[in-house]
Amino acid sequence: MLPPTTAEIPITGARLSSVVPGTVRGENKDRELTNMDLALKFHYIKGLYFFYNNSTTQNIITIEELKKPMFELLDRFFPVAGRIRRSEADNPYIKCNDAGVRIIEAYCEEFTVEECLDMVEMGCSFHDRLCYNQVLGPDLGFSPLVLLQVTWFKCGGVSVGLSWAHILGDIASASTFMNTWAHIMSGHVPKESIHITSPIRPYNFSNVIATKPFSVKELNPPVENNWSLPTNNNGQNMRTRCFKVSAKQLNLLMSNTCGKKATNFSRFEIISSVIWKSLSQLRKNSLSSKVVTICWYQNPSGDSNDQVIPNNKSMVLSTVERDSEVNNVSELAFLISDRKIVENEAINNEEMIGKMDFLVYGANLTFVNLEDVEIYEFEMKGKRPVFANFSIEGVGKEGLVLVQTKGPKNGNKEDDINGRIVTVVLPEDELAHLENELKTNWNIA
């Protein structure tokens, strides 16, 4: 059974401040928003990093040490410090006016970092308390696009929580922003912003381009200036759960479900297929069990500015449909691997986006591949996080699954490289079903 919803991490002494770019840009810079940006405006990215403290006399880092590098960071990522405005034609855009990002300083005096991570093992979701709650609007012009919460624990350890408006950029952009901050903090200022590597297996887009996007769902009635998912469109008590899957567990799962065929598929494809099969059994033959959305990342195209300005260009949205009789894990993995219908072009050509409001994550059951996003490159004083995780807020009732590595891909631990963190956002009853399935059949809890 899932733990009580009242389980939470107590936070005290919150202080708010703002940091602006080191160079004044004024109000003369605008950033237009693409259809993909606008389709994602109800979604918010949550990133969370935990660090132990090896000292018994002082905290791992001070707020001054964190804030000082942000002046240069925001010079590089200047749209992050902007605000949403509307044109005379009522179209949203980002005014790059140096309004800044919000910093929250907080304390958790009851738990150590280790005790907090133990709560994750029990099923507690910590994103709501350690990442500041963010919604753009109803006063769009005053809503920061990015908030950073620094929480010190009684052991002197610290967590850094990121709340990032998805309209600004995707998880790859958000991770790049954090990694660049870490490099500036360490004194190793990169000439260009770091980005994710190319996927191991480049995808062939020929003959898989959709003419109509099925990965987005229109919200009716449309929402005006309060950009949060309406309750009546969600209709479910959504819960978040992180599953830690060791390399040994994952190798066994791949072998037992696909046998020799397992070498044809990525870990993401196997995990997604297992969860798709489990939820399809629960949802029977409904449409929601037959069509899923797959999201992954590739290097952005275009000029060099694309690498330093956050955007949603590296995100690829696609859909996969199965026949009713297809419910074997290896068959589902094959569909995810080779039968994706890419929808980016259809979304960018959709005339209604910008005029109507849409939902992406949870419009269908959505699987997000974060295996190539360098999450663990965010370091403080030479230390990598002991645990890092990304999730999405504003998920529709069909649910969301994110798959990432357990540690740095260039590390020397087998479990870090080949283990996975699986973050699931589902209606409460479905999450309980999935948790029981994974624990009973695969010894994953």
Side-chain angles (χ1 to χ4, degrees), residues 314-413:
S314 67
M315 188 173 78
V316 182
L317 280 177
S318 58
T319 53
V320 179
E321 184 175 2
R322 71 175 180 89
D323 294 330
S324 299
E325 63 272 13
V326 175
N327 207 28
N328 179 280
V329 170
S330 62
E331 292 175 327
L332 294 174
F334 173 76
L335 293 178
I336 293 173
S337 174
D338 287 9
R339 292 293 182 265
K340 296 188 287 288
I341 307 297
V342 177
E343 299 197 344
N344 286 47
E345 186 174 330
I347 291 171
N348 285 325
N349 291 335
E350 179 63 53
E351 293 182 358
M352 292 306 296
I353 293 180
K355 301 175 183 178
M356 303 294 292
D357 294 323
F358 287 84
L359 174 71
V360 177
Y361 299 103
N364 305 312
L365 176 60
T366 307
F367 295 95
V368 181
N369 186 351
L370 301 179
E371 290 181 321
D372 288 294
V373 179
E374 299 285 4
I375 295 172
Y376 278 83
E377 290 301 307
F378 179 66
E379 297 183 6
M380 289 199 308
K381 294 190 173 180
K383 294 182 179 180
R384 281 180 167 157
V386 292
F387 182 78
N389 179 251
F390 272 84
S391 187
I392 301 287
E393 192 173 82
V395 176
K397 65 180 181 180
E398 302 302 335
L400 170 70
V401 179
L402 304 100
V403 180
Q404 66 176 67
T405 59
K406 289 184 72 175
K409 294 192 303 177
N410 59 353
N412 53 16
K413 293 182 180 179

Side-chain angles (χ1 to χ4, degrees), residues 4-12 14 44-48 50 104 106 116 119-120 123-135 147 149 151 159-163 237-242 389-395 423-425:
T5 56
T6 53
E8 63 178 32
I9 297 167
I11 299 299
T12 60
Y44 299 88
I45 294 168
K46 297 292 185 77
L48 190 55
F50 287 92
I104 299 93
C116 181
M119 294 179 69
V120 179
C124 175
S125 173
F126 40 49
H127 291 92
D128 290 341
R129 301 292 290 167
L130 299 178
C131 296
Y132 202 77
N133 188 36
Q134 177 189 26
V135 173
L147 298 98
Q149 178 174 329
T151 305
S159 71
V160 179
L162 169 71
S163 297
N237 180 19
M238 305 297 286
R239 298 285 302 279
T240 302
R241 175 80 158 89
C242 288
N389 179 251
F390 272 84
S391 187
I392 301 287
E393 192 173 82
V395 176
T423 303
V424 180
V425 184

